Amino acid sequence: MIRSKLDEDEYWNSSKFKAFTFDDEDDEFSRLKESKQAVNSIRGLVEEEEDEDDVEKVTWSGEPVGSISWSIKETASSSRAAGEIRDQGFPKIDTTPSLPKQGSNYSLSSFFKVRGKSGSSQSFSDNWSDSTTRIFAPELRKPKSEYKDYVSDWSPEETVRRMHRGKPYSLEKFRCLKDKLLLLDKAVDSHDGNVITAVLIFLKRSLSKEILFRELVSRQIALQHFIHFLKEMGEQKLLLELFKSLGRTEDMAFLQYKDHLNIKDEVQRQEYLKNCISLPFSADDASHVQDHYTLLERQIIIEVNDKHMEKAGQMGIFKKYPRKASILNMPIITTLYYSCFYHYGEAEGTYSSPANIKKTFKISEKQYLLTALGARAKQKAWSDVDSLFTTKNWLGYTKKRAPIGFHRVADILQKNNAPIQVLQEYVRLVDDPEMKLGLAQKYKCHDVIIDTYKDLKDRQQLMLYRCKVDRGSPEEKKIDDILSNTQVRWKN
């Protein structure tokens, strides 16, 4: 239904939205003042404390905010929108918000409020989610206090201080050698390993090897950090060149010797170790390298032979105690234990003989007894254990002697579940009465405890211990016999 002219005038007069007319100069001036007030209110959002005179604000169209041309465009844009509504007659209900077309200048009115359905006003945030329109807000200026984080004109002291505090920094500006070395000295003075390493990485990248090595000679702390860094990064070649320039021949030798760990094949490793013997080691270190080569050579021979014997079933010990691991690349004490376990009693002339291994590698008597005792006790070979500690004097008398101490012998036997008769025999040989009594009580060697109290003539302790043994047991009968013996003179 088409409305009459009277109805249309009544609609505009009753609406809360007032139409804009180009003929009304007062309205245009009023509109201009409102636009300028909006601009002034926007300034507080984008300007910083005392910096407002230093920053020029612009709109999306490139015009300075607050200028006359900008204000006229804002007013013209609003007037054009109002004029279009006036010319349409009775307003149409549109299904999409009336936003400015892409590419046109945005007005303040369209930025904060747009006309939506049924002539109602929608906020800017309501239209932000519209997928057909992208609105870009002006970028706010960063505070002046943050600008120095992006300035690269720092002194070495300031750069090191920023590195220590975890702030942004740049090392590329230090181009002359003097500045680079000053930077390194300041890093060392900071006592921060991470800072020192970071500067060294920069110098490694920006200086020649010769210059870097030369300057590190007089800076021992930085040199140690650099050596550690190269070791961690696995840069063996550069590290060798560094040691060579410093004249550290032994460090070079050790670095080359360490490479044997990367060789998997035992025969190739043996050949490599053979070549390492000629490296410039000290006398003691050279003997260790020689022993390493000899040990690996011996292990290869034993491994090949035992593997063949185990497979052929020619030695019963391999059936009773199957091998759990290869002997290759094992330490010398492990090799000795293996030899005492599988090859005990062999002639000294064989490579696998414990006596041969002891002699070749100059193993001490104490170390040999401890290792052999553990191996023979593991096999429950108590006669071999007895022979380890039995000696004869020049008159032919036998005597038990233990350089490691009989208390240690008793501990090893108890851990290998030795019978109580065997254990008691070695507990008795402990010289210290208190230690002997403590071990006897710990391992429940009743005969040793009873005899010790008898030797100490301690009747009271003997009577107390009688209450701890089983009734009718041989131990109780033995205590009764001792207590009834009138020849024993007990302590008061």
Side-chain angles (χ1 to χ4, degrees), residues 261-293:
L261 298 173
N262 300 324
I263 303 174
K264 303 301 181 182
D265 183 75
E266 286 74 18
V267 177
Q268 294 180 3
R269 180 180 290 191
Q270 178 190 356
E271 291 298 323
Y272 186 84
L273 290 173
K274 186 176 181 180
N275 296 328
C276 288
I277 296 174
S278 60
L279 293 175
F281 290 104
S282 64
D284 291 339
D285 294 333
S287 65
H288 289 312
V289 175
Q290 176 67 58
D291 286 344
H292 190 180
Y293 165 74

PDB file of all heavy atoms in Angstrom, residues 261-293:
ATOM      1  N   LEU A 261      86.177 -45.617  20.891  1.00  0.00           N
ATOM      2  CA  LEU A 261      84.822 -45.947  21.362  1.00  0.00           C
ATOM      3  C   LEU A 261      83.819 -45.972  20.219  1.00  0.00           C
ATOM      4  O   LEU A 261      82.755 -46.608  20.342  1.00  0.00           O
ATOM      5  CB  LEU A 261      84.386 -44.928  22.418  1.00  0.00           C
ATOM      6  CG  LEU A 261      85.224 -44.874  23.707  1.00  0.00           C
ATOM      7  CD1 LEU A 261      84.780 -43.708  24.577  1.00  0.00           C
ATOM      8  CD2 LEU A 261      85.107 -46.190  24.471  1.00  0.00           C
ATOM      9  N   ASN A 262      84.120 -45.302  19.133  1.00  0.00           N
ATOM     10  CA  ASN A 262      83.193 -45.259  17.994  1.00  0.00           C
ATOM     11  C   ASN A 262      83.375 -46.441  17.040  1.00  0.00           C
ATOM     12  O   ASN A 262      82.621 -46.574  16.076  1.00  0.00           O
ATOM     13  CB  ASN A 262      83.393 -43.955  17.221  1.00  0.00           C
ATOM     14  CG  ASN A 262      83.144 -42.729  18.082  1.00  0.00           C
ATOM     15  OD1 ASN A 262      82.256 -42.739  18.932  1.00  0.00           O
ATOM     16  ND2 ASN A 262      83.935 -41.676  17.886  1.00  0.00           N
ATOM     17  N   ILE A 263      84.347 -47.296  17.310  1.00  0.00           N
ATOM     18  CA  ILE A 263      84.614 -48.452  16.444  1.00  0.00           C
ATOM     19  C   ILE A 263      83.899 -49.664  17.029  1.00  0.00           C
ATOM     20  O   ILE A 263      84.166 -50.071  18.162  1.00  0.00           O
ATOM     21  CB  ILE A 263      86.132 -48.716  16.322  1.00  0.00           C
ATOM     22  CG1 ILE A 263      86.845 -47.459  15.804  1.00  0.00           C
ATOM     23  CG2 ILE A 263      86.400 -49.901  15.412  1.00  0.00           C
ATOM     24  CD1 ILE A 263      88.350 -47.582  15.787  1.00  0.00           C
ATOM     25  N   LYS A 264      83.001 -50.251  16.271  1.00  0.00           N
ATOM     26  CA  LYS A 264      82.196 -51.368  16.757  1.00  0.00           C
ATOM     27  C   LYS A 264      82.904 -52.708  16.580  1.00  0.00           C
ATOM     28  O   LYS A 264      82.804 -53.583  17.440  1.00  0.00           O
ATOM     29  CB  LYS A 264      80.842 -51.392  16.042  1.00  0.00           C
ATOM     30  CG  LYS A 264      80.038 -50.111  16.188  1.00  0.00           C
ATOM     31  CD  LYS A 264      79.748 -49.793  17.636  1.00  0.00           C
ATOM     32  CE  LYS A 264      78.928 -48.517  17.793  1.00  0.00           C
ATOM     33  NZ  LYS A 264      78.689 -48.183  19.213  1.00  0.00           N
ATOM     34  N   ASP A 265      83.594 -52.903  15.479  1.00  0.00           N
ATOM     35  CA  ASP A 265      84.266 -54.174  15.220  1.00  0.00           C
ATOM     36  C   ASP A 265      85.504 -54.294  16.117  1.00  0.00           C
ATOM     37  O   ASP A 265      86.366 -53.402  16.129  1.00  0.00           O
ATOM     38  CB  ASP A 265      84.678 -54.262  13.744  1.00  0.00           C
ATOM     39  CG  ASP A 265      85.307 -55.600  13.404  1.00  0.00           C
ATOM     40  OD1 ASP A 265      84.555 -56.582  13.292  1.00  0.00           O
ATOM     41  OD2 ASP A 265      86.549 -55.652  13.276  1.00  0.00           O
ATOM     42  N   GLU A 266      85.609 -55.422  16.865  1.00  0.00           N
ATOM     43  CA  GLU A 266      86.681 -55.586  17.842  1.00  0.00           C
ATOM     44  C   GLU A 266      88.052 -55.676  17.187  1.00  0.00           C
ATOM     45  O   GLU A 266      89.042 -55.171  17.715  1.00  0.00           O
ATOM     46  CB  GLU A 266      86.425 -56.828  18.706  1.00  0.00           C
ATOM     47  CG  GLU A 266      85.331 -56.674  19.743  1.00  0.00           C
ATOM     48  CD  GLU A 266      83.945 -56.698  19.138  1.00  0.00           C
ATOM     49  OE1 GLU A 266      83.818 -57.163  17.986  1.00  0.00           O
ATOM     50  OE2 GLU A 266      82.990 -56.244  19.811  1.00  0.00           O
ATOM     51  N   VAL A 267      88.139 -56.337  16.041  1.00  0.00           N
ATOM     52  CA  VAL A 267      89.425 -56.480  15.358  1.00  0.00           C
ATOM     53  C   VAL A 267      89.918 -55.116  14.878  1.00  0.00           C
ATOM     54  O   VAL A 267      91.099 -54.769  15.043  1.00  0.00           O
ATOM     55  CB  VAL A 267      89.324 -57.474  14.191  1.00  0.00           C
ATOM     56  CG1 VAL A 267      90.644 -57.563  13.436  1.00  0.00           C
ATOM     57  CG2 VAL A 267      88.905 -58.854  14.698  1.00  0.00           C
ATOM     58  N   GLN A 268      89.017 -54.324  14.307  1.00  0.00           N
ATOM     59  CA  GLN A 268      89.396 -52.973  13.874  1.00  0.00           C
ATOM     60  C   GLN A 268      89.753 -52.093  15.067  1.00  0.00           C
ATOM     61  O   GLN A 268      90.678 -51.275  14.993  1.00  0.00           O
ATOM     62  CB  GLN A 268      88.244 -52.346  13.081  1.00  0.00           C
ATOM     63  CG  GLN A 268      87.959 -53.038  11.755  1.00  0.00           C
ATOM     64  CD  GLN A 268      86.812 -52.383  11.007  1.00  0.00           C
ATOM     65  OE1 GLN A 268      86.262 -51.374  11.442  1.00  0.00           O
ATOM     66  NE2 GLN A 268      86.443 -52.973   9.876  1.00  0.00           N
ATOM     67  N   ARG A 269      89.037 -52.263  16.169  1.00  0.00           N
ATOM     68  CA  ARG A 269      89.361 -51.498  17.365  1.00  0.00           C
ATOM     69  C   ARG A 269      90.740 -51.883  17.893  1.00  0.00           C
ATOM     70  O   ARG A 269      91.507 -51.022  18.351  1.00  0.00           O
ATOM     71  CB  ARG A 269      88.301 -51.736  18.446  1.00  0.00           C
ATOM     72  CG  ARG A 269      88.554 -50.967  19.728  1.00  0.00           C
ATOM     73  CD  ARG A 269      87.499 -51.224  20.766  1.00  0.00           C
ATOM     74  NE  ARG A 269      86.223 -50.618  20.392  1.00  0.00           N
ATOM     75  CZ  ARG A 269      85.184 -50.509  21.227  1.00  0.00           C
ATOM     76  NH1 ARG A 269      85.288 -50.966  22.460  1.00  0.00           N
ATOM     77  NH2 ARG A 269      84.069 -49.954  20.822  1.00  0.00           N
ATOM     78  N   GLN A 270      91.071 -53.179  17.833  1.00  0.00           N
ATOM     79  CA  GLN A 270      92.382 -53.627  18.266  1.00  0.00           C
ATOM     80  C   GLN A 270      93.485 -52.981  17.426  1.00  0.00           C
ATOM     81  O   GLN A 270      94.502 -52.521  17.962  1.00  0.00           O
ATOM     82  CB  GLN A 270      92.468 -55.156  18.173  1.00  0.00           C
ATOM     83  CG  GLN A 270      93.815 -55.728  18.559  1.00  0.00           C
ATOM     84  CD  GLN A 270      93.934 -57.197  18.215  1.00  0.00           C
ATOM     85  OE1 GLN A 270      92.973 -57.816  17.757  1.00  0.00           O
ATOM     86  NE2 GLN A 270      95.098 -57.774  18.425  1.00  0.00           N
ATOM     87  N   GLU A 271      93.297 -52.925  16.118  1.00  0.00           N
ATOM     88  CA  GLU A 271      94.286 -52.296  15.244  1.00  0.00           C
ATOM     89  C   GLU A 271      94.401 -50.800  15.530  1.00  0.00           C
ATOM     90  O   GLU A 271      95.501 -50.234  15.497  1.00  0.00           O
ATOM     91  CB  GLU A 271      93.901 -52.525  13.777  1.00  0.00           C
ATOM     92  CG  GLU A 271      94.044 -53.970  13.324  1.00  0.00           C
ATOM     93  CD  GLU A 271      95.485 -54.454  13.418  1.00  0.00           C
ATOM     94  OE1 GLU A 271      96.399 -53.644  13.128  1.00  0.00           O
ATOM     95  OE2 GLU A 271      95.699 -55.618  13.791  1.00  0.00           O
ATOM     96  N   TYR A 272      93.266 -50.162  15.804  1.00  0.00           N
ATOM     97  CA  TYR A 272      93.303 -48.728  16.113  1.00  0.00           C
ATOM     98  C   TYR A 272      94.072 -48.480  17.406  1.00  0.00           C
ATOM     99  O   TYR A 272      94.868 -47.538  17.498  1.00  0.00           O
ATOM    100  CB  TYR A 272      91.875 -48.192  16.230  1.00  0.00           C
ATOM    101  CG  TYR A 272      91.804 -46.694  16.414  1.00  0.00           C
ATOM    102  CD1 TYR A 272      91.845 -45.841  15.316  1.00  0.00           C
ATOM    103  CD2 TYR A 272      91.713 -46.128  17.681  1.00  0.00           C
ATOM    104  CE1 TYR A 272      91.797 -44.463  15.479  1.00  0.00           C
ATOM    105  CE2 TYR A 272      91.666 -44.762  17.860  1.00  0.00           C
ATOM    106  CZ  TYR A 272      91.712 -43.931  16.746  1.00  0.00           C
ATOM    107  OH  TYR A 272      91.669 -42.567  16.920  1.00  0.00           O
ATOM    108  N   LEU A 273      93.833 -49.311  18.435  1.00  0.00           N
ATOM    109  CA  LEU A 273      94.551 -49.159  19.693  1.00  0.00           C
ATOM    110  C   LEU A 273      96.043 -49.402  19.517  1.00  0.00           C
ATOM    111  O   LEU A 273      96.870 -48.762  20.190  1.00  0.00           O
ATOM    112  CB  LEU A 273      93.984 -50.129  20.743  1.00  0.00           C
ATOM    113  CG  LEU A 273      92.581 -49.814  21.265  1.00  0.00           C
ATOM    114  CD1 LEU A 273      92.084 -50.937  22.165  1.00  0.00           C
ATOM    115  CD2 LEU A 273      92.566 -48.490  22.021  1.00  0.00           C
ATOM    116  N   LYS A 274      96.382 -50.303  18.616  1.00  0.00           N
ATOM    117  CA  LYS A 274      97.798 -50.562  18.347  1.00  0.00           C
ATOM    118  C   LYS A 274      98.474 -49.301  17.800  1.00  0.00           C
ATOM    119  O   LYS A 274      99.634 -48.992  18.153  1.00  0.00           O
ATOM    120  CB  LYS A 274      97.930 -51.716  17.355  1.00  0.00           C
ATOM    121  CG  LYS A 274      99.355 -52.173  17.098  1.00  0.00           C
ATOM    122  CD  LYS A 274      99.382 -53.370  16.173  1.00  0.00           C
ATOM    123  CE  LYS A 274     100.817 -53.847  15.937  1.00  0.00           C
ATOM    124  NZ  LYS A 274     100.855 -55.029  15.035  1.00  0.00           N
ATOM    125  N   ASN A 275      97.769 -48.575  16.952  1.00  0.00           N
ATOM    126  CA  ASN A 275      98.314 -47.328  16.406  1.00  0.00           C
ATOM    127  C   ASN A 275      98.374 -46.224  17.469  1.00  0.00           C
ATOM    128  O   ASN A 275      99.229 -45.335  17.396  1.00  0.00           O
ATOM    129  CB  ASN A 275      97.483 -46.849  15.222  1.00  0.00           C
ATOM    130  CG  ASN A 275      97.539 -47.815  14.050  1.00  0.00           C
ATOM    131  OD1 ASN A 275      98.555 -48.481  13.829  1.00  0.00           O
ATOM    132  ND2 ASN A 275      96.453 -47.900  13.290  1.00  0.00           N
ATOM    133  N   CYS A 276      97.465 -46.289  18.430  1.00  0.00           N
ATOM    134  CA  CYS A 276      97.438 -45.272  19.485  1.00  0.00           C
ATOM    135  C   CYS A 276      98.633 -45.389  20.427  1.00  0.00           C
ATOM    136  O   CYS A 276      98.952 -44.425  21.138  1.00  0.00           O
ATOM    137  CB  CYS A 276      96.145 -45.377  20.296  1.00  0.00           C
ATOM    138  SG  CYS A 276      94.667 -44.820  19.409  1.00  0.00           S
ATOM    139  N   ILE A 277      99.275 -46.546  20.469  1.00  0.00           N
ATOM    140  CA  ILE A 277     100.420 -46.731  21.369  1.00  0.00           C
ATOM    141  C   ILE A 277     101.535 -45.739  21.036  1.00  0.00           C
ATOM    142  O   ILE A 277     102.266 -45.279  21.923  1.00  0.00           O
ATOM    143  CB  ILE A 277     100.932 -48.189  21.285  1.00  0.00           C
ATOM    144  CG1 ILE A 277      99.837 -49.143  21.796  1.00  0.00           C
ATOM    145  CG2 ILE A 277     102.211 -48.376  22.084  1.00  0.00           C
ATOM    146  CD1 ILE A 277     100.180 -50.609  21.625  1.00  0.00           C
ATOM    147  N   SER A 278     101.664 -45.398  19.764  1.00  0.00           N
ATOM    148  CA  SER A 278     102.743 -44.494  19.333  1.00  0.00           C
ATOM    149  C   SER A 278     102.413 -43.014  19.527  1.00  0.00           C
ATOM    150  O   SER A 278     103.243 -42.158  19.241  1.00  0.00           O
ATOM    151  CB  SER A 278     103.066 -44.744  17.854  1.00  0.00           C
ATOM    152  OG  SER A 278     101.916 -44.504  17.045  1.00  0.00           O
ATOM    153  N   LEU A 279     101.218 -42.675  20.023  1.00  0.00           N
ATOM    154  CA  LEU A 279     100.848 -41.273  20.234  1.00  0.00           C
ATOM    155  C   LEU A 279     101.651 -40.697  21.399  1.00  0.00           C
ATOM    156  O   LEU A 279     102.117 -41.436  22.279  1.00  0.00           O
ATOM    157  CB  LEU A 279      99.349 -41.161  20.506  1.00  0.00           C
ATOM    158  CG  LEU A 279      98.420 -41.518  19.331  1.00  0.00           C
ATOM    159  CD1 LEU A 279      96.964 -41.475  19.782  1.00  0.00           C
ATOM    160  CD2 LEU A 279      98.654 -40.574  18.159  1.00  0.00           C
ATOM    161  N   PRO A 280     101.806 -39.367  21.443  1.00  0.00           N
ATOM    162  CA  PRO A 280     102.659 -38.738  22.470  1.00  0.00           C
ATOM    163  C   PRO A 280     102.018 -38.682  23.851  1.00  0.00           C
ATOM    164  O   PRO A 280     101.713 -37.599  24.378  1.00  0.00           O
ATOM    165  CB  PRO A 280     102.900 -37.335  21.907  1.00  0.00           C
ATOM    166  CG  PRO A 280     101.700 -37.056  21.071  1.00  0.00           C
ATOM    167  CD  PRO A 280     101.303 -38.368  20.465  1.00  0.00           C
ATOM    168  N   PHE A 281     101.819 -39.844  24.487  1.00  0.00           N
ATOM    169  CA  PHE A 281     101.314 -39.903  25.850  1.00  0.00           C
ATOM    170  C   PHE A 281     102.466 -39.755  26.840  1.00  0.00           C
ATOM    171  O   PHE A 281     103.639 -39.933  26.486  1.00  0.00           O
ATOM    172  CB  PHE A 281     100.599 -41.242  26.109  1.00  0.00           C
ATOM    173  CG  PHE A 281      99.301 -41.410  25.383  1.00  0.00           C
ATOM    174  CD1 PHE A 281      99.212 -42.217  24.257  1.00  0.00           C
ATOM    175  CD2 PHE A 281      98.159 -40.771  25.827  1.00  0.00           C
ATOM    176  CE1 PHE A 281      98.012 -42.378  23.594  1.00  0.00           C
ATOM    177  CE2 PHE A 281      96.958 -40.929  25.169  1.00  0.00           C
ATOM    178  CZ  PHE A 281      96.882 -41.740  24.049  1.00  0.00           C
ATOM    179  N   SER A 282     102.094 -39.474  28.092  1.00  0.00           N
ATOM    180  CA  SER A 282     103.090 -39.550  29.159  1.00  0.00           C
ATOM    181  C   SER A 282     103.426 -41.024  29.415  1.00  0.00           C
ATOM    182  O   SER A 282     102.755 -41.926  28.903  1.00  0.00           O
ATOM    183  CB  SER A 282     102.550 -38.901  30.437  1.00  0.00           C
ATOM    184  OG  SER A 282     101.431 -39.617  30.917  1.00  0.00           O
ATOM    185  N   ALA A 283     104.431 -41.264  30.224  1.00  0.00           N
ATOM    186  CA  ALA A 283     104.886 -42.643  30.442  1.00  0.00           C
ATOM    187  C   ALA A 283     103.789 -43.500  31.074  1.00  0.00           C
ATOM    188  O   ALA A 283     103.531 -44.637  30.631  1.00  0.00           O
ATOM    189  CB  ALA A 283     106.133 -42.643  31.330  1.00  0.00           C
ATOM    190  N   ASP A 284     103.116 -42.971  32.113  1.00  0.00           N
ATOM    191  CA  ASP A 284     102.056 -43.749  32.774  1.00  0.00           C
ATOM    192  C   ASP A 284     100.882 -43.996  31.835  1.00  0.00           C
ATOM    193  O   ASP A 284     100.338 -45.101  31.778  1.00  0.00           O
ATOM    194  CB  ASP A 284     101.569 -43.021  34.026  1.00  0.00           C
ATOM    195  CG  ASP A 284     102.626 -43.005  35.120  1.00  0.00           C
ATOM    196  OD1 ASP A 284     103.537 -43.857  35.073  1.00  0.00           O
ATOM    197  OD2 ASP A 284     102.532 -42.135  36.004  1.00  0.00           O
ATOM    198  N   ASP A 285     100.482 -42.958  31.115  1.00  0.00           N
ATOM    199  CA  ASP A 285      99.349 -43.111  30.203  1.00  0.00           C
ATOM    200  C   ASP A 285      99.683 -44.060  29.056  1.00  0.00           C
ATOM    201  O   ASP A 285      98.824 -44.823  28.598  1.00  0.00           O
ATOM    202  CB  ASP A 285      98.931 -41.747  29.651  1.00  0.00           C
ATOM    203  CG  ASP A 285      98.364 -40.843  30.740  1.00  0.00           C
ATOM    204  OD1 ASP A 285      97.825 -41.373  31.725  1.00  0.00           O
ATOM    205  OD2 ASP A 285      98.476 -39.616  30.601  1.00  0.00           O
ATOM    206  N   ALA A 286     100.897 -44.017  28.590  1.00  0.00           N
ATOM    207  CA  ALA A 286     101.299 -44.923  27.509  1.00  0.00           C
ATOM    208  C   ALA A 286     101.204 -46.382  27.948  1.00  0.00           C
ATOM    209  O   ALA A 286     100.791 -47.259  27.171  1.00  0.00           O
ATOM    210  CB  ALA A 286     102.719 -44.597  27.059  1.00  0.00           C
ATOM    211  N   SER A 287     101.557 -46.664  29.221  1.00  0.00           N
ATOM    212  CA  SER A 287     101.443 -48.040  29.721  1.00  0.00           C
ATOM    213  C   SER A 287      99.991 -48.485  29.810  1.00  0.00           C
ATOM    214  O   SER A 287      99.667 -49.647  29.544  1.00  0.00           O
ATOM    215  CB  SER A 287     102.111 -48.147  31.096  1.00  0.00           C
ATOM    216  OG  SER A 287     101.415 -47.363  32.061  1.00  0.00           O
ATOM    217  N   HIS A 288      99.100 -47.566  30.153  1.00  0.00           N
ATOM    218  CA  HIS A 288      97.675 -47.903  30.204  1.00  0.00           C
ATOM    219  C   HIS A 288      97.134 -48.216  28.801  1.00  0.00           C
ATOM    220  O   HIS A 288      96.340 -49.162  28.637  1.00  0.00           O
ATOM    221  CB  HIS A 288      96.884 -46.752  30.824  1.00  0.00           C
ATOM    222  CG  HIS A 288      97.109 -46.584  32.291  1.00  0.00           C
ATOM    223  ND1 HIS A 288      97.062 -47.627  33.182  1.00  0.00           N
ATOM    224  CD2 HIS A 288      97.385 -45.475  33.038  1.00  0.00           C
ATOM    225  CE1 HIS A 288      97.286 -47.188  34.408  1.00  0.00           C
ATOM    226  NE2 HIS A 288      97.497 -45.876  34.339  1.00  0.00           N
ATOM    227  N   VAL A 289      97.546 -47.443  27.824  1.00  0.00           N
ATOM    228  CA  VAL A 289      97.106 -47.704  26.452  1.00  0.00           C
ATOM    229  C   VAL A 289      97.653 -49.052  25.974  1.00  0.00           C
ATOM    230  O   VAL A 289      96.947 -49.833  25.314  1.00  0.00           O
ATOM    231  CB  VAL A 289      97.554 -46.556  25.517  1.00  0.00           C
ATOM    232  CG1 VAL A 289      97.199 -46.879  24.068  1.00  0.00           C
ATOM    233  CG2 VAL A 289      96.905 -45.240  25.939  1.00  0.00           C
ATOM    234  N   GLN A 290      98.882 -49.357  26.353  1.00  0.00           N
ATOM    235  CA  GLN A 290      99.474 -50.641  25.997  1.00  0.00           C
ATOM    236  C   GLN A 290      98.700 -51.788  26.649  1.00  0.00           C
ATOM    237  O   GLN A 290      98.402 -52.807  26.007  1.00  0.00           O
ATOM    238  CB  GLN A 290     100.934 -50.682  26.439  1.00  0.00           C
ATOM    239  CG  GLN A 290     101.634 -52.019  26.201  1.00  0.00           C
ATOM    240  CD  GLN A 290     101.806 -52.328  24.732  1.00  0.00           C
ATOM    241  OE1 GLN A 290     102.421 -51.550  23.999  1.00  0.00           O
ATOM    242  NE2 GLN A 290     101.259 -53.463  24.280  1.00  0.00           N
ATOM    243  N   ASP A 291      98.321 -51.631  27.923  1.00  0.00           N
ATOM    244  CA  ASP A 291      97.537 -52.664  28.616  1.00  0.00           C
ATOM    245  C   ASP A 291      96.160 -52.828  27.986  1.00  0.00           C
ATOM    246  O   ASP A 291      95.640 -53.953  27.900  1.00  0.00           O
ATOM    247  CB  ASP A 291      97.387 -52.302  30.093  1.00  0.00           C
ATOM    248  CG  ASP A 291      98.678 -52.512  30.867  1.00  0.00           C
ATOM    249  OD1 ASP A 291      99.565 -53.210  30.349  1.00  0.00           O
ATOM    250  OD2 ASP A 291      98.792 -51.965  31.988  1.00  0.00           O
ATOM    251  N   HIS A 292      95.586 -51.730  27.556  1.00  0.00           N
ATOM    252  CA  HIS A 292      94.279 -51.814  26.906  1.00  0.00           C
ATOM    253  C   HIS A 292      94.353 -52.638  25.620  1.00  0.00           C
ATOM    254  O   HIS A 292      93.509 -53.499  25.362  1.00  0.00           O
ATOM    255  CB  HIS A 292      93.760 -50.403  26.606  1.00  0.00           C
ATOM    256  CG  HIS A 292      92.338 -50.369  26.152  1.00  0.00           C
ATOM    257  ND1 HIS A 292      91.684 -49.196  25.836  1.00  0.00           N
ATOM    258  CD2 HIS A 292      91.433 -51.358  25.923  1.00  0.00           C
ATOM    259  CE1 HIS A 292      90.447 -49.467  25.454  1.00  0.00           C
ATOM    260  NE2 HIS A 292      90.269 -50.774  25.487  1.00  0.00           N
ATOM    261  N   TYR A 293      95.368 -52.372  24.853  1.00  0.00           N
ATOM    262  CA  TYR A 293      95.559 -53.131  23.615  1.00  0.00           C
ATOM    263  C   TYR A 293      95.805 -54.619  23.908  1.00  0.00           C
ATOM    264  O   TYR A 293      95.193 -55.501  23.282  1.00  0.00           O
ATOM    265  CB  TYR A 293      96.726 -52.553  22.821  1.00  0.00           C
ATOM    266  CG  TYR A 293      97.220 -53.461  21.723  1.00  0.00           C
ATOM    267  CD1 TYR A 293      96.493 -53.635  20.552  1.00  0.00           C
ATOM    268  CD2 TYR A 293      98.411 -54.182  21.868  1.00  0.00           C
ATOM    269  CE1 TYR A 293      96.926 -54.491  19.544  1.00  0.00           C
ATOM    270  CE2 TYR A 293      98.857 -55.033  20.863  1.00  0.00           C
ATOM    271  CZ  TYR A 293      98.113 -55.180  19.707  1.00  0.00           C
ATOM    272  OH  TYR A 293      98.553 -56.033  18.722  1.00  0.00           O
TER     273      TYR A 293
END
